[in-house]
Amino acid sequence: MLIVAGLGNPGSGHAGNRHNVGFMAADEIARRHSFPAWRNRFRSEIAEGEIGGEKILLMKPQTWMNLSGDAVGEAMRFYKLSAPDIIVLYDELDLPPGKVRVKTGGGAGGHNGIRSIDSHCGKDYRRVRIGIGHPGDKALVQRHVLSDFAKVDSEWLQPLLEGLAEHFPLLAKGEDSTFMNRMARAREDNAADAPNRTARQQ
């Protein structure tokens, strides 16, 4: 069994925030793989299903981002799992918009949700880092992550979420490198098609 936690902040006012891209990814995975409706448990919205032959517990912690580990740790202990059984989906300032990287362990990189999960679950879980770009000035970071994606971002964001959900079975089976290769190829294809989309819209 795997716990797959998408990170974000609860409430409709945060739904479109860059900081909530983990929630968005979890929603797309649930939709793509026909999970049942979300329900409340472990201080989270959860949905259970199967992907790539693995039983999956999808979670969207409702504890606020900075306390994400409270919810993920509770589920981990209930199912008697450990850090390697956890995949976390979250926003990454240090990656360009639309780029995705997977790694196991490492530091929190200033991300309070990851810092919280580290403290409750240990560090040896897989991190799916979804690039949202950096505003260029440290003083602007909080406003950047807590602001909604711009309308133009939909050109790369929706294909990214759809690709992540489509290729998620590779992650479920532990084929992280193949997953990243597929995501990179999809990003290149989407970028190559951008001029055609612009021409169609004119």
Side-chain angles (χ1 to χ4, degrees):
M1 179 180 184
L2 293 174
I3 292 173
V4 178
L7 302 191
N9 284 311
S12 59
H14 294 284
N17 288 180
R18 292 179 178 87
H19 218 22
N20 273 42
V21 75
F23 276 11
M24 298 174 196
D27 283 332
E28 187 62 28
I29 290 167
R31 187 198 66 78
R32 173 88 185 199
H33 298 282
S34 303
F35 276 44
W38 296 94
R39 59 192 178 90
N40 295 317
R41 195 178 182 192
F42 305 123
R43 288 179 278 180
S44 304
E45 291 183 1
I46 67 164
E48 297 172 87
E50 188 174 296
I51 302 176
E54 276 289 341
K55 185 176 180 183
I56 303 290
L57 175 72
L58 268 179
M59 300 182 68
K60 293 189 293 182
Q62 301 295 294
T63 52
W64 296 95
M65 177 69 83
N66 294 359
L67 298 175
S68 298
D70 292 5
V72 178
E74 185 178 333
M76 182 187 77
R77 291 186 294 274
F78 179 85
Y79 288 108
K80 297 180 172 60
L81 300 174
S82 59
D85 303 309
I86 298 170
I87 298 174
V88 179
L89 316 165
Y90 66 99
D91 56 299
E92 175 58 74
L93 283 164
D94 293 331
L95 286 177
K99 200 162 192 174
V100 175
R101 285 285 180 269
V102 181
K103 70 172 183 174
T104 299
H111 195 290
N112 289 330
I114 294 300
R115 184 177 291 113
S116 177
I117 294 173
D118 286 353
S119 69
H120 284 267
C121 305
K123 296 186 176 184
D124 295 330
Y125 56 90
R126 282 186 285 166
R127 303 147 194 249
V128 180
R129 304 157 61 214
I130 302 170
I132 61 167
H134 197 287
D137 184 339
K138 191 174 180 181
L140 299 176
V141 163
Q142 184 172 2
R143 185 193 304 172
H144 179 69
V145 300
L146 294 178
S147 294
D148 287 356
F149 282 105
K151 192 172 183 180
V152 69
D153 290 330
S154 64
E155 292 188 3
W156 62 263
L157 178 60
Q158 193 55 39
L160 178 148
L161 296 173
E162 291 171 1
L164 195 154
E166 177 185 353
H167 300 305
F168 197 85
L170 294 167
L171 280 182
K173 292 184 286 189
E175 298 176 21
D176 298 1
S177 295
T178 305
F179 170 81
M180 284 192 286
N181 288 338
R182 296 278 176 86
M183 292 299 295
R185 193 175 307 136
R187 183 169 181 256
E188 289 168 3
D189 290 346
N190 187 54
D193 189 50
N196 296 328
R197 286 198 303 273
T198 302
R200 289 194 295 268
Q201 291 165 4
Q202 290 175 346

PDB file of all heavy atoms in Angstrom, residues 20-47:
ATOM      1  N   ASN A  20      -1.064  25.256  -3.848  1.00  0.00           N
ATOM      2  CA  ASN A  20      -2.034  24.158  -3.817  1.00  0.00           C
ATOM      3  C   ASN A  20      -1.913  23.211  -5.000  1.00  0.00           C
ATOM      4  O   ASN A  20      -2.801  22.392  -5.232  1.00  0.00           O
ATOM      5  CB  ASN A  20      -3.463  24.714  -3.760  1.00  0.00           C
ATOM      6  CG  ASN A  20      -3.915  24.987  -2.338  1.00  0.00           C
ATOM      7  OD1 ASN A  20      -3.146  25.502  -1.533  1.00  0.00           O
ATOM      8  ND2 ASN A  20      -5.146  24.654  -2.023  1.00  0.00           N
ATOM      9  N   VAL A  21      -0.816  23.285  -5.737  1.00  0.00           N
ATOM     10  CA  VAL A  21      -0.700  22.421  -6.909  1.00  0.00           C
ATOM     11  C   VAL A  21      -0.670  20.947  -6.512  1.00  0.00           C
ATOM     12  O   VAL A  21      -1.066  20.077  -7.301  1.00  0.00           O
ATOM     13  CB  VAL A  21       0.532  22.824  -7.761  1.00  0.00           C
ATOM     14  CG1 VAL A  21       1.851  22.371  -7.108  1.00  0.00           C
ATOM     15  CG2 VAL A  21       0.426  22.281  -9.175  1.00  0.00           C
ATOM     16  N   GLY A  22      -0.252  20.632  -5.285  1.00  0.00           N
ATOM     17  CA  GLY A  22      -0.310  19.246  -4.812  1.00  0.00           C
ATOM     18  C   GLY A  22      -1.741  18.749  -4.699  1.00  0.00           C
ATOM     19  O   GLY A  22      -2.049  17.597  -5.058  1.00  0.00           O
ATOM     20  N   PHE A  23      -2.640  19.600  -4.199  1.00  0.00           N
ATOM     21  CA  PHE A  23      -4.071  19.260  -4.165  1.00  0.00           C
ATOM     22  C   PHE A  23      -4.584  19.031  -5.588  1.00  0.00           C
ATOM     23  O   PHE A  23      -5.336  18.086  -5.851  1.00  0.00           O
ATOM     24  CB  PHE A  23      -4.876  20.395  -3.533  1.00  0.00           C
ATOM     25  CG  PHE A  23      -4.950  20.388  -2.027  1.00  0.00           C
ATOM     26  CD1 PHE A  23      -4.147  19.560  -1.252  1.00  0.00           C
ATOM     27  CD2 PHE A  23      -5.843  21.232  -1.372  1.00  0.00           C
ATOM     28  CE1 PHE A  23      -4.222  19.578   0.138  1.00  0.00           C
ATOM     29  CE2 PHE A  23      -5.935  21.247   0.007  1.00  0.00           C
ATOM     30  CZ  PHE A  23      -5.125  20.426   0.774  1.00  0.00           C
ATOM     31  N   MET A  24      -4.200  19.929  -6.502  1.00  0.00           N
ATOM     32  CA  MET A  24      -4.652  19.824  -7.894  1.00  0.00           C
ATOM     33  C   MET A  24      -4.202  18.498  -8.508  1.00  0.00           C
ATOM     34  O   MET A  24      -4.970  17.835  -9.224  1.00  0.00           O
ATOM     35  CB  MET A  24      -4.115  20.987  -8.716  1.00  0.00           C
ATOM     36  CG  MET A  24      -4.583  22.350  -8.259  1.00  0.00           C
ATOM     37  SD  MET A  24      -3.738  23.683  -9.194  1.00  0.00           S
ATOM     38  CE  MET A  24      -4.098  25.102  -8.161  1.00  0.00           C
ATOM     39  N   ALA A  25      -2.961  18.111  -8.233  1.00  0.00           N
ATOM     40  CA  ALA A  25      -2.435  16.847  -8.763  1.00  0.00           C
ATOM     41  C   ALA A  25      -3.198  15.661  -8.190  1.00  0.00           C
ATOM     42  O   ALA A  25      -3.542  14.716  -8.912  1.00  0.00           O
ATOM     43  CB  ALA A  25      -0.944  16.732  -8.454  1.00  0.00           C
ATOM     44  N   ALA A  26      -3.479  15.699  -6.885  1.00  0.00           N
ATOM     45  CA  ALA A  26      -4.232  14.610  -6.260  1.00  0.00           C
ATOM     46  C   ALA A  26      -5.630  14.505  -6.863  1.00  0.00           C
ATOM     47  O   ALA A  26      -6.129  13.398  -7.125  1.00  0.00           O
ATOM     48  CB  ALA A  26      -4.313  14.826  -4.747  1.00  0.00           C
ATOM     49  N   ASP A  27      -6.273  15.646  -7.100  1.00  0.00           N
ATOM     50  CA  ASP A  27      -7.602  15.640  -7.721  1.00  0.00           C
ATOM     51  C   ASP A  27      -7.570  15.017  -9.106  1.00  0.00           C
ATOM     52  O   ASP A  27      -8.459  14.234  -9.471  1.00  0.00           O
ATOM     53  CB  ASP A  27      -8.149  17.074  -7.824  1.00  0.00           C
ATOM     54  CG  ASP A  27      -8.674  17.610  -6.497  1.00  0.00           C
ATOM     55  OD1 ASP A  27      -9.115  16.810  -5.654  1.00  0.00           O
ATOM     56  OD2 ASP A  27      -8.635  18.844  -6.310  1.00  0.00           O
ATOM     57  N   GLU A  28      -6.540  15.348  -9.886  1.00  0.00           N
ATOM     58  CA  GLU A  28      -6.448  14.818 -11.252  1.00  0.00           C
ATOM     59  C   GLU A  28      -6.158  13.318 -11.240  1.00  0.00           C
ATOM     60  O   GLU A  28      -6.692  12.566 -12.062  1.00  0.00           O
ATOM     61  CB  GLU A  28      -5.375  15.569 -12.037  1.00  0.00           C
ATOM     62  CG  GLU A  28      -5.320  15.217 -13.511  1.00  0.00           C
ATOM     63  CD  GLU A  28      -6.598  15.542 -14.279  1.00  0.00           C
ATOM     64  OE1 GLU A  28      -7.328  16.472 -13.880  1.00  0.00           O
ATOM     65  OE2 GLU A  28      -6.868  14.842 -15.276  1.00  0.00           O
ATOM     66  N   ILE A  29      -5.333  12.872 -10.300  1.00  0.00           N
ATOM     67  CA  ILE A  29      -5.065  11.426 -10.170  1.00  0.00           C
ATOM     68  C   ILE A  29      -6.356  10.691  -9.825  1.00  0.00           C
ATOM     69  O   ILE A  29      -6.674   9.642 -10.408  1.00  0.00           O
ATOM     70  CB  ILE A  29      -3.991  11.169  -9.095  1.00  0.00           C
ATOM     71  CG1 ILE A  29      -2.624  11.668  -9.583  1.00  0.00           C
ATOM     72  CG2 ILE A  29      -3.909   9.680  -8.747  1.00  0.00           C
ATOM     73  CD1 ILE A  29      -1.562  11.735  -8.483  1.00  0.00           C
ATOM     74  N   ALA A  30      -7.116  11.231  -8.879  1.00  0.00           N
ATOM     75  CA  ALA A  30      -8.375  10.600  -8.476  1.00  0.00           C
ATOM     76  C   ALA A  30      -9.343  10.531  -9.653  1.00  0.00           C
ATOM     77  O   ALA A  30     -10.017   9.509  -9.872  1.00  0.00           O
ATOM     78  CB  ALA A  30      -8.996  11.369  -7.313  1.00  0.00           C
ATOM     79  N   ARG A  31      -9.419  11.621 -10.431  1.00  0.00           N
ATOM     80  CA  ARG A  31     -10.328  11.648 -11.578  1.00  0.00           C
ATOM     81  C   ARG A  31      -9.888  10.667 -12.658  1.00  0.00           C
ATOM     82  O   ARG A  31     -10.697   9.870 -13.145  1.00  0.00           O
ATOM     83  CB  ARG A  31     -10.370  13.070 -12.153  1.00  0.00           C
ATOM     84  CG  ARG A  31     -11.415  13.262 -13.243  1.00  0.00           C
ATOM     85  CD  ARG A  31     -11.144  14.501 -14.078  1.00  0.00           C
ATOM     86  NE  ARG A  31      -9.905  14.381 -14.844  1.00  0.00           N
ATOM     87  CZ  ARG A  31      -9.793  13.673 -15.961  1.00  0.00           C
ATOM     88  NH1 ARG A  31     -10.824  12.993 -16.446  1.00  0.00           N
ATOM     89  NH2 ARG A  31      -8.626  13.616 -16.597  1.00  0.00           N
ATOM     90  N   ARG A  32      -8.611  10.694 -12.985  1.00  0.00           N
ATOM     91  CA  ARG A  32      -8.093   9.863 -14.079  1.00  0.00           C
ATOM     92  C   ARG A  32      -8.258   8.377 -13.792  1.00  0.00           C
ATOM     93  O   ARG A  32      -8.552   7.575 -14.689  1.00  0.00           O
ATOM     94  CB  ARG A  32      -6.612  10.185 -14.285  1.00  0.00           C
ATOM     95  CG  ARG A  32      -5.890   9.279 -15.268  1.00  0.00           C
ATOM     96  CD  ARG A  32      -6.010   9.788 -16.664  1.00  0.00           C
ATOM     97  NE  ARG A  32      -5.420   8.883 -17.636  1.00  0.00           N
ATOM     98  CZ  ARG A  32      -5.071   9.238 -18.855  1.00  0.00           C
ATOM     99  NH1 ARG A  32      -5.242  10.474 -19.247  1.00  0.00           N
ATOM    100  NH2 ARG A  32      -4.571   8.371 -19.696  1.00  0.00           N
ATOM    101  N   HIS A  33      -8.084   8.003 -12.528  1.00  0.00           N
ATOM    102  CA  HIS A  33      -8.107   6.582 -12.178  1.00  0.00           C
ATOM    103  C   HIS A  33      -9.402   6.165 -11.488  1.00  0.00           C
ATOM    104  O   HIS A  33      -9.457   5.108 -10.851  1.00  0.00           O
ATOM    105  CB  HIS A  33      -6.877   6.254 -11.321  1.00  0.00           C
ATOM    106  CG  HIS A  33      -5.591   6.487 -12.053  1.00  0.00           C
ATOM    107  ND1 HIS A  33      -5.093   5.595 -12.988  1.00  0.00           N
ATOM    108  CD2 HIS A  33      -4.721   7.536 -12.039  1.00  0.00           C
ATOM    109  CE1 HIS A  33      -3.971   6.081 -13.501  1.00  0.00           C
ATOM    110  NE2 HIS A  33      -3.722   7.242 -12.934  1.00  0.00           N
ATOM    111  N   SER A  34     -10.431   6.993 -11.649  1.00  0.00           N
ATOM    112  CA  SER A  34     -11.800   6.657 -11.209  1.00  0.00           C
ATOM    113  C   SER A  34     -11.884   6.257  -9.745  1.00  0.00           C
ATOM    114  O   SER A  34     -12.536   5.270  -9.389  1.00  0.00           O
ATOM    115  CB  SER A  34     -12.373   5.540 -12.096  1.00  0.00           C
ATOM    116  OG  SER A  34     -12.355   5.919 -13.461  1.00  0.00           O
ATOM    117  N   PHE A  35     -11.224   7.040  -8.888  1.00  0.00           N
ATOM    118  CA  PHE A  35     -11.341   6.813  -7.454  1.00  0.00           C
ATOM    119  C   PHE A  35     -12.740   7.232  -6.997  1.00  0.00           C
ATOM    120  O   PHE A  35     -13.374   8.084  -7.623  1.00  0.00           O
ATOM    121  CB  PHE A  35     -10.292   7.634  -6.698  1.00  0.00           C
ATOM    122  CG  PHE A  35      -8.938   6.995  -6.612  1.00  0.00           C
ATOM    123  CD1 PHE A  35      -8.352   6.379  -7.718  1.00  0.00           C
ATOM    124  CD2 PHE A  35      -8.236   7.006  -5.420  1.00  0.00           C
ATOM    125  CE1 PHE A  35      -7.094   5.793  -7.630  1.00  0.00           C
ATOM    126  CE2 PHE A  35      -6.975   6.420  -5.316  1.00  0.00           C
ATOM    127  CZ  PHE A  35      -6.406   5.813  -6.429  1.00  0.00           C
ATOM    128  N   PRO A  36     -13.235   6.658  -5.899  1.00  0.00           N
ATOM    129  CA  PRO A  36     -14.529   7.095  -5.359  1.00  0.00           C
ATOM    130  C   PRO A  36     -14.440   8.510  -4.816  1.00  0.00           C
ATOM    131  O   PRO A  36     -13.355   9.099  -4.736  1.00  0.00           O
ATOM    132  CB  PRO A  36     -14.805   6.079  -4.245  1.00  0.00           C
ATOM    133  CG  PRO A  36     -13.456   5.577  -3.845  1.00  0.00           C
ATOM    134  CD  PRO A  36     -12.627   5.581  -5.099  1.00  0.00           C
ATOM    135  N   ALA A  37     -15.574   9.044  -4.409  1.00  0.00           N
ATOM    136  CA  ALA A  37     -15.628  10.424  -3.904  1.00  0.00           C
ATOM    137  C   ALA A  37     -14.736  10.587  -2.675  1.00  0.00           C
ATOM    138  O   ALA A  37     -14.542   9.649  -1.885  1.00  0.00           O
ATOM    139  CB  ALA A  37     -17.067  10.781  -3.555  1.00  0.00           C
ATOM    140  N   TRP A  38     -14.197  11.802  -2.534  1.00  0.00           N
ATOM    141  CA  TRP A  38     -13.391  12.114  -1.360  1.00  0.00           C
ATOM    142  C   TRP A  38     -14.242  12.026  -0.095  1.00  0.00           C
ATOM    143  O   TRP A  38     -15.423  12.376  -0.102  1.00  0.00           O
ATOM    144  CB  TRP A  38     -12.818  13.530  -1.470  1.00  0.00           C
ATOM    145  CG  TRP A  38     -11.854  13.705  -2.609  1.00  0.00           C
ATOM    146  CD1 TRP A  38     -12.131  14.145  -3.866  1.00  0.00           C
ATOM    147  CD2 TRP A  38     -10.443  13.436  -2.586  1.00  0.00           C
ATOM    148  NE1 TRP A  38     -10.995  14.170  -4.628  1.00  0.00           N
ATOM    149  CE2 TRP A  38      -9.941  13.752  -3.875  1.00  0.00           C
ATOM    150  CE3 TRP A  38      -9.562  12.963  -1.603  1.00  0.00           C
ATOM    151  CZ2 TRP A  38      -8.598  13.604  -4.215  1.00  0.00           C
ATOM    152  CZ3 TRP A  38      -8.216  12.826  -1.941  1.00  0.00           C
ATOM    153  CH2 TRP A  38      -7.749  13.133  -3.220  1.00  0.00           C
ATOM    154  N   ARG A  39     -13.638  11.560   1.000  1.00  0.00           N
ATOM    155  CA  ARG A  39     -14.305  11.545   2.303  1.00  0.00           C
ATOM    156  C   ARG A  39     -13.305  11.989   3.363  1.00  0.00           C
ATOM    157  O   ARG A  39     -12.111  12.111   3.087  1.00  0.00           O
ATOM    158  CB  ARG A  39     -14.863  10.161   2.631  1.00  0.00           C
ATOM    159  CG  ARG A  39     -13.818   9.045   2.673  1.00  0.00           C
ATOM    160  CD  ARG A  39     -14.480   7.671   2.708  1.00  0.00           C
ATOM    161  NE  ARG A  39     -13.517   6.586   2.704  1.00  0.00           N
ATOM    162  CZ  ARG A  39     -12.989   6.026   3.792  1.00  0.00           C
ATOM    163  NH1 ARG A  39     -13.352   6.457   4.998  1.00  0.00           N
ATOM    164  NH2 ARG A  39     -12.118   5.045   3.714  1.00  0.00           N
ATOM    165  N   ASN A  40     -13.773  12.256   4.558  1.00  0.00           N
ATOM    166  CA  ASN A  40     -12.919  12.804   5.614  1.00  0.00           C
ATOM    167  C   ASN A  40     -12.396  11.713   6.548  1.00  0.00           C
ATOM    168  O   ASN A  40     -13.168  10.933   7.097  1.00  0.00           O
ATOM    169  CB  ASN A  40     -13.698  13.841   6.428  1.00  0.00           C
ATOM    170  CG  ASN A  40     -14.083  15.052   5.593  1.00  0.00           C
ATOM    171  OD1 ASN A  40     -13.278  15.547   4.811  1.00  0.00           O
ATOM    172  ND2 ASN A  40     -15.308  15.514   5.735  1.00  0.00           N
ATOM    173  N   ARG A  41     -11.069  11.691   6.700  1.00  0.00           N
ATOM    174  CA  ARG A  41     -10.416  10.799   7.650  1.00  0.00           C
ATOM    175  C   ARG A  41      -8.972  11.261   7.803  1.00  0.00           C
ATOM    176  O   ARG A  41      -8.413  11.847   6.879  1.00  0.00           O
ATOM    177  CB  ARG A  41     -10.462   9.350   7.160  1.00  0.00           C
ATOM    178  CG  ARG A  41     -10.123   8.344   8.257  1.00  0.00           C
ATOM    179  CD  ARG A  41     -10.216   6.918   7.766  1.00  0.00           C
ATOM    180  NE  ARG A  41      -9.940   5.986   8.843  1.00  0.00           N
ATOM    181  CZ  ARG A  41      -9.722   4.687   8.676  1.00  0.00           C
ATOM    182  NH1 ARG A  41      -9.782   4.156   7.463  1.00  0.00           N
ATOM    183  NH2 ARG A  41      -9.457   3.907   9.706  1.00  0.00           N
ATOM    184  N   PHE A  42      -8.375  10.985   8.917  1.00  0.00           N
ATOM    185  CA  PHE A  42      -6.979  11.361   9.186  1.00  0.00           C
ATOM    186  C   PHE A  42      -6.769  12.875   9.022  1.00  0.00           C
ATOM    187  O   PHE A  42      -5.727  13.316   8.530  1.00  0.00           O
ATOM    188  CB  PHE A  42      -6.002  10.607   8.272  1.00  0.00           C
ATOM    189  CG  PHE A  42      -6.131   9.116   8.305  1.00  0.00           C
ATOM    190  CD1 PHE A  42      -6.372   8.399   7.138  1.00  0.00           C
ATOM    191  CD2 PHE A  42      -6.026   8.419   9.500  1.00  0.00           C
ATOM    192  CE1 PHE A  42      -6.483   7.023   7.150  1.00  0.00           C
ATOM    193  CE2 PHE A  42      -6.139   7.030   9.525  1.00  0.00           C
ATOM    194  CZ  PHE A  42      -6.374   6.330   8.347  1.00  0.00           C
ATOM    195  N   ARG A  43      -7.751  13.653   9.424  1.00  0.00           N
ATOM    196  CA  ARG A  43      -7.679  15.110   9.287  1.00  0.00           C
ATOM    197  C   ARG A  43      -7.368  15.516   7.839  1.00  0.00           C
ATOM    198  O   ARG A  43      -6.650  16.483   7.564  1.00  0.00           O
ATOM    199  CB  ARG A  43      -6.650  15.697  10.249  1.00  0.00           C
ATOM    200  CG  ARG A  43      -7.097  15.660  11.703  1.00  0.00           C
ATOM    201  CD  ARG A  43      -6.072  16.226  12.626  1.00  0.00           C
ATOM    202  NE  ARG A  43      -5.053  15.230  12.944  1.00  0.00           N
ATOM    203  CZ  ARG A  43      -4.021  15.460  13.736  1.00  0.00           C
ATOM    204  NH1 ARG A  43      -3.853  16.655  14.273  1.00  0.00           N
ATOM    205  NH2 ARG A  43      -3.139  14.509  13.991  1.00  0.00           N
ATOM    206  N   SER A  44      -7.932  14.754   6.924  1.00  0.00           N
ATOM    207  CA  SER A  44      -7.676  14.940   5.492  1.00  0.00           C
ATOM    208  C   SER A  44      -8.935  14.606   4.707  1.00  0.00           C
ATOM    209  O   SER A  44      -9.864  13.989   5.226  1.00  0.00           O
ATOM    210  CB  SER A  44      -6.570  13.995   5.006  1.00  0.00           C
ATOM    211  OG  SER A  44      -5.383  14.144   5.734  1.00  0.00           O
ATOM    212  N   GLU A  45      -8.932  15.005   3.441  1.00  0.00           N
ATOM    213  CA  GLU A  45      -9.829  14.403   2.470  1.00  0.00           C
ATOM    214  C   GLU A  45      -9.064  13.225   1.880  1.00  0.00           C
ATOM    215  O   GLU A  45      -7.906  13.364   1.477  1.00  0.00           O
ATOM    216  CB  GLU A  45     -10.208  15.401   1.383  1.00  0.00           C
ATOM    217  CG  GLU A  45     -11.096  16.527   1.884  1.00  0.00           C
ATOM    218  CD  GLU A  45     -11.527  17.462   0.773  1.00  0.00           C
ATOM    219  OE1 GLU A  45     -11.158  17.232  -0.402  1.00  0.00           O
ATOM    220  OE2 GLU A  45     -12.237  18.426   1.085  1.00  0.00           O
ATOM    221  N   ILE A  46      -9.701  12.058   1.872  1.00  0.00           N
ATOM    222  CA  ILE A  46      -9.023  10.868   1.362  1.00  0.00           C
ATOM    223  C   ILE A  46      -9.889  10.178   0.298  1.00  0.00           C
ATOM    224  O   ILE A  46     -11.103  10.334   0.267  1.00  0.00           O
ATOM    225  CB  ILE A  46      -8.686   9.852   2.478  1.00  0.00           C
ATOM    226  CG1 ILE A  46      -9.958   9.233   3.069  1.00  0.00           C
ATOM    227  CG2 ILE A  46      -7.840  10.489   3.564  1.00  0.00           C
ATOM    228  CD1 ILE A  46      -9.707   7.976   3.880  1.00  0.00           C
ATOM    229  N   ALA A  47      -9.213   9.435  -0.564  1.00  0.00           N
ATOM    230  CA  ALA A  47      -9.876   8.577  -1.544  1.00  0.00           C
ATOM    231  C   ALA A  47      -8.984   7.357  -1.726  1.00  0.00           C
ATOM    232  O   ALA A  47      -7.762   7.472  -1.728  1.00  0.00           O
ATOM    233  CB  ALA A  47     -10.087   9.303  -2.862  1.00  0.00           C
TER     234      ALA A  47
END
